[in-house]
Amino acid sequence: MSHPAPSEPTEQPHLVSLVLQSKKALQHGEQLCSRAQSQYNTSAQEAIEVLALDAKVRWIAEAIGEQLKLAAGVAKAIEEKRAALAKQVKSWDTSRTKHTDSLESILESLGGQVVPPDFYETSAASSLFGSQHSDDDEDQPFGISEPQRQNGHPMSPPVSPSATLRRPSGSFGDKGKGKAKKIILQERRKLAKADRSKWKTLRDFVDDRAIEDILETIENDRNTLEDILNQTVDYPPSLKDTIASLRDSLPTPPQVPILTQMQDALIAQDTTIASMAEKLESLAGHYDEMAGALKDTEAGEAFSDEDMQAMNRDTEELPIIMSELDDCAKQIEGQFNRLVNSRKSSQQDLDHLLHVLNDLEELGDIMSEMLLTQDSVEIKCEEALTSLQQQLETLDHLHERYVLYQTAFNKLMLEMARRRHYKDATENIVNGMISQLEAMSEEESQLRKHFNAECGAHLPEDICLSIGNEPTRWDVLPWPGDAREILPEIDADLIVEARERLQGHSDIVVGPESL
């Protein structure tokens, strides 16, 4: 503002108003600048606190990140241990399927092989198989009875065929009874063979209940093993979810480093404060000019209209300056508030991280319990798998037992055929001998009758009293105490089938089979 040229004093009452406006503007500007300066000074402290909090947040967040990596390692270790156990269990399941399929296969084979009725339609004492549910079966594994000797006693030792020749104690009446019994048995066999669907099979002589008990025990133990495994099934996913949740809750690092943000904020405040200082100096200068002009007027100086217009223009610019000062003050306040909010946010992050540290400590205790439980599960699983493996050996023994059982039965079929061949041969010899003895006896009787008719009347009665006797008649009978051997009737196709089965399992059959 320029100094007014001296002129005649004139009354200019509005100059006081201009001075008051200038003073008011200056006072308001000083207030704005004072408050801005106070916020500017506090902003520096806020920036320092923000940097300190940020350093703590980053340090704790990094430490938490490392702890979460360790927790993830624990989760992975438990998962790997479970995977190893699952692999062992799967291997056992595969073996179990193999053993049960083998057992089912041999049982199905036993069910497809019929047993001639003569093998079991006799008294239990003379049965080739014995009673399936007899008391003696308790000593036999898997419910298969050992064949018994005829009549429950050992067979008598073989003797010389000539020892069976003896003088008869009577007639041939026993022979007729034997033939009648044989005819009855033959008729029964014809009726039984008419429909093989009614015959028993080798499966009928197997104790299915014992097999079912074994399979049920295996299934129950397998379910128990599954229950043991399920004790830790939720551990890996639960840990992973917890770790992911904690990691997601960590503060996200700012795109612009906090230090850079603080520097930019303080620099911006410096610029704004400098601008406000310039504007405040302008207000002070304007007020000084207005006050000086008022003093000059009071001293008798007068201002021209041109000077008054200039002072009016300068005063009219005060609202613009005040608006600019107000904007600058708002910028300072906004930057200050952002610093305060940054500090509060960093403090909240720090408080949250301290809470996360507490959660991590609790998670550490939980993981310790999980590891102990997993170790216990591994021990129990190993024990259960050992027991289950032994039960698979039982299935293997069952399979082997039934294979040998079927093999023995096929050998029995061939043995019975061989014995039938032997029996038929010996009976042919005996029958031939009996026929020859009968023929010789009849011839001898005729010769004696002819001799007695020719010479008997001419001989004294007291000479050779036995001359009229009939010749001694002979019969061939079983050994004293022995009964005639009765062998089961076996169809020829069953003999062929048994021989083919044995040839098909040459790795099991030991020694040649002959008839």
Side-chain angles (χ1 to χ4, degrees):
M1 293 183 184
S2 59
H3 293 286
S7 62
E8 295 181 358
T10 58
E11 186 177 355
Q12 297 175 332
H14 68 280
L15 185 60
V16 176
S17 176
L18 295 177
V19 173
L20 291 176
Q21 292 181 32
S22 299
K23 183 178 181 180
K24 185 178 179 180
L26 177 60
Q27 289 175 345
H28 184 62
E30 288 176 345
Q31 291 177 357
L32 290 176
C33 290
S34 176
R35 187 172 61 183
Q37 184 64 40
S38 176
Q39 292 178 342
Y40 171 74
N41 294 333
T42 307
S43 296
Q45 183 61 36
E46 291 289 338
I48 293 174
E49 292 183 7
V50 169
L51 292 174
L53 290 172
D54 178 68
K56 291 181 180 180
V57 168
R58 286 188 289 106
W59 179 76
I60 295 176
E62 290 176 0
I64 291 175
E66 294 298 324
Q67 292 297 319
L68 292 178
K69 289 181 180 179
L70 294 177
V74 172
K76 184 177 181 180
I78 294 177
E79 189 173 25
E80 290 176 349
K81 290 180 179 181
R82 282 187 49 78
L85 288 176
K87 185 177 181 180
Q88 295 181 34
V89 172
K90 184 178 180 181
S91 176
W92 182 89
D93 286 337
T94 302
S95 299
R96 173 193 182 184
T97 302
K98 178 181 177 181
H99 283 79
T100 52
D101 288 348
S102 297
L103 179 59
E104 184 63 29
S105 177
I106 184 61
L107 291 176
E108 184 178 353
S109 179
L110 294 178
Q113 189 167 0
V114 296
V115 180
D118 287 350
F119 276 70
Y120 53 86
E121 288 186 351
T122 55
S123 65
S126 60
S127 173
L128 292 172
F129 294 95
S131 175
Q132 181 178 351
H133 302 292
S134 65
D135 295 337
D136 295 338
D137 287 348
E138 295 179 0
D139 297 331
Q140 299 298 329
F142 317 132
I144 300 177
S145 301
E146 292 289 346
Q148 298 180 355
R149 295 294 188 179
Q150 188 171 353
N151 296 323
H153 301 286
M155 299 291 253
S156 301
V159 294
S160 172
S162 61
T164 62
L165 295 176
R166 62 180 179 85
R167 186 160 187 107
S169 59
S171 64
F172 289 88
D174 293 338
K175 182 176 177 182
K177 293 180 181 180
K179 289 183 178 180
K181 185 176 181 181
K182 184 175 182 181
I183 293 173
I184 293 173
L185 291 175
Q186 288 176 348
E187 291 299 323
R188 288 179 60 191
R189 289 168 186 151
K190 290 179 180 178
L191 292 174
K193 293 174 183 177
D195 186 4
R196 288 187 180 180
S197 63
K198 298 180 180 179
W199 288 13
K200 290 186 177 181
T201 66
L202 288 179
R203 178 69 182 269
D204 295 323
F205 299 93
V206 171
D207 190 354
D208 285 334
R209 184 177 60 188
I211 298 175
E212 291 175 358
D213 290 343
I214 293 174
L215 295 177
E216 183 178 358
T217 299
I218 292 176
E219 182 64 22
N220 291 336
D221 290 350
R222 177 63 179 84
N223 291 335
T224 300
L225 174 60
E226 190 67 22
D227 292 338
I228 294 174
L229 284 172
N230 288 337
Q231 291 180 13
T232 60
V233 66
D234 294 332
Y235 284 6
S238 176
L239 283 176
K240 289 180 179 179
D241 291 343
T242 302
I243 292 169
S245 177
L246 292 176
R247 183 177 287 114
D248 292 340
S249 70
L250 295 179
T252 303
Q255 296 181 351
V256 179
I258 294 295
L259 178 60
T260 302
Q261 293 182 27
M262 296 302 101
Q263 289 175 344
D264 292 344
L266 293 177
I267 291 173
Q269 283 187 338
D270 287 340
T271 303
T272 304
I273 287 293
S275 176
M276 290 181 72
E278 293 177 358
K279 289 177 173 57
L280 184 61
E281 289 178 357
S282 177
L283 289 176
H286 179 68
Y287 173 72
D288 289 340
E289 289 181 359
M290 291 298 99
L294 182 59
K295 287 180 180 181
D296 291 341
T297 301
E298 292 175 350
E301 289 189 24
F303 293 93
S304 63
D305 291 338
E306 184 178 350
D307 291 335
M308 291 302 298
Q309 290 177 358
M311 286 187 287
N312 283 328
R313 279 197 307 271
D314 292 341
T315 303
E316 289 173 356
E317 292 178 0
L318 290 178
I320 298 175
I321 297 174
M322 294 305 299
S323 176
E324 292 176 351
L325 272 176
D326 191 59
D327 290 341
C328 290
K330 289 180 180 179
Q331 292 178 14
I332 294 295
E333 184 178 8
Q335 292 165 351
F336 171 75
N337 290 334
R338 282 193 290 273
L339 289 173
V340 172
N341 291 333
S342 296
R343 176 180 59 78
K344 291 180 179 180
S345 178
S346 297
Q347 184 63 50
Q348 289 176 354
D349 290 342
L350 180 61
D351 294 340
H352 172 70
L353 291 178
L354 294 176
H355 181 70
V356 172
L357 286 176
N358 292 333
D359 292 342
L360 271 179
E361 184 177 357
E362 183 179 354
L363 180 61
D365 296 337
I366 294 174
M367 287 190 299
S368 298
E369 294 179 2
M370 286 182 172
L371 289 173
L372 290 176
T373 303
Q374 181 63 35
D375 291 340
S376 175
V377 165
E378 289 181 16
I379 294 174
K380 291 180 181 178
C381 284
E382 291 294 338
E383 294 174 353
L385 283 172
T386 299
S387 176
L388 286 171
Q389 190 61 39
Q390 292 174 353
Q391 293 177 9
L392 288 186
E393 293 177 1
T394 300
L395 291 182
D396 188 52
H397 294 330
L398 273 173
H399 174 264
E400 181 180 0
R401 175 69 178 178
Y402 291 139
V403 169
L404 294 176
Y405 164 46
Q406 186 180 45
T407 301
F409 176 78
N410 289 323
K411 287 187 174 183
L412 174 65
M413 298 282 283
L414 299 184
E415 174 64 13
M416 289 298 101
R418 186 194 64 77
R419 292 186 184 187
R420 166 69 65 179
H421 180 75
Y422 165 78
K423 177 177 177 295
D424 292 344
T426 55
E427 287 182 352
N428 287 336
I429 294 175
V430 170
N431 291 333
M433 185 180 294
I434 290 174
S435 298
Q436 185 178 3
L437 289 174
E438 289 179 349
M440 291 176 64
S441 177
E442 183 64 26
E443 181 182 0
E444 178 65 17
S445 178
Q446 294 297 327
L447 291 174
R448 291 187 182 191
K449 288 179 180 180
H450 178 73
F451 175 80
N452 290 333
E454 180 181 358
C455 302
H458 305 290
L459 296 174
E461 293 181 358
D462 56 351
I463 293 178
C464 192
L465 299 179
S466 61
I467 191 64
N469 291 345
E470 287 293 325
T472 300
R473 301 184 69 181
W474 296 88
D475 195 4
V476 181
L477 299 176
W479 185 264
D482 286 354
R484 182 182 294 273
E485 184 177 27
I486 300 177
L487 297 176
E489 290 287 340
I490 306 175
D491 294 344
D493 63 317
L494 297 181
I495 299 297
V496 174
E497 179 184 347
R499 185 182 295 109
E500 291 176 349
R501 287 180 181 272
L502 289 174
Q503 292 174 349
H505 295 82
S506 58
D507 55 331
I508 300 176
V509 179
V510 179
E513 294 295 340
S514 61
L515 296 179

